[in-house]
Amino acid sequence: MTYRLAFVFLIAATPAFAVDPTGVPQCDALLKRYEACSGQLSPRQVHAAQKELLDGAMGIRAAAADPSKRADLERYCVDRFEQMKRESDIKECMSKP
């Protein structure tokens, strides 16, 4: 019984969900890498990272529908990706090719 509970907790604590594509390649690359690397965060940070991923993807999809915002959105995602490679708690993972 103890082993089953530990296994269920492990599965529940692992960020194993997929963020749907946003249609903006630069943003999809950022979100995909962030999702892959978020498992290296502390357990307390994983939930916040999952929420940020889902909220971010929804916002990006909404903004991507407006052609006047697309270039700014692409630039934002590239800049944010580079910032996370330099300054985040998971910068080593975010920097992998």
Side-chain angles (χ1 to χ4, degrees):
M1 177 81 167
T2 303
Y3 295 112
R4 283 187 189 163
L5 288 175
F7 181 70
V8 170
F9 177 76
L10 179 63
I11 289 174
T14 303
F17 63 97
V19 174
D20 292 332
T22 64
V24 180
Q26 298 87 338
C27 297
D28 289 340
L30 167 64
L31 293 171
K32 184 177 180 179
R33 180 66 56 84
Y34 187 28
E35 182 178 13
C37 294
S38 66
Q40 295 181 8
L41 292 167
S42 71
R44 193 177 312 157
Q45 294 172 304
V46 169
H47 178 71
Q50 289 175 344
K51 182 175 178 356
E52 185 176 32
L53 278 163
L54 295 173
D55 290 349
M58 284 183 1
I60 290 166
R61 274 193 292 283
D66 182 346
S68 68
K69 295 179 181 176
R70 180 123 183 155
D72 289 337
L73 191 56
E74 291 170 356
R75 191 171 29 260
Y76 168 79
C77 289
V78 168
D79 291 347
R80 181 73 174 128
F81 202 167
E82 291 304 314
Q83 180 186 16
M84 290 186 78
K85 289 177 183 180
R86 290 187 315 270
E87 301 172 9
S88 70
D89 291 344
I90 51 176
K91 61 186 171 193
E92 290 83 16
C93 183
M94 293 296 290
S95 296
K96 290 181 180 177

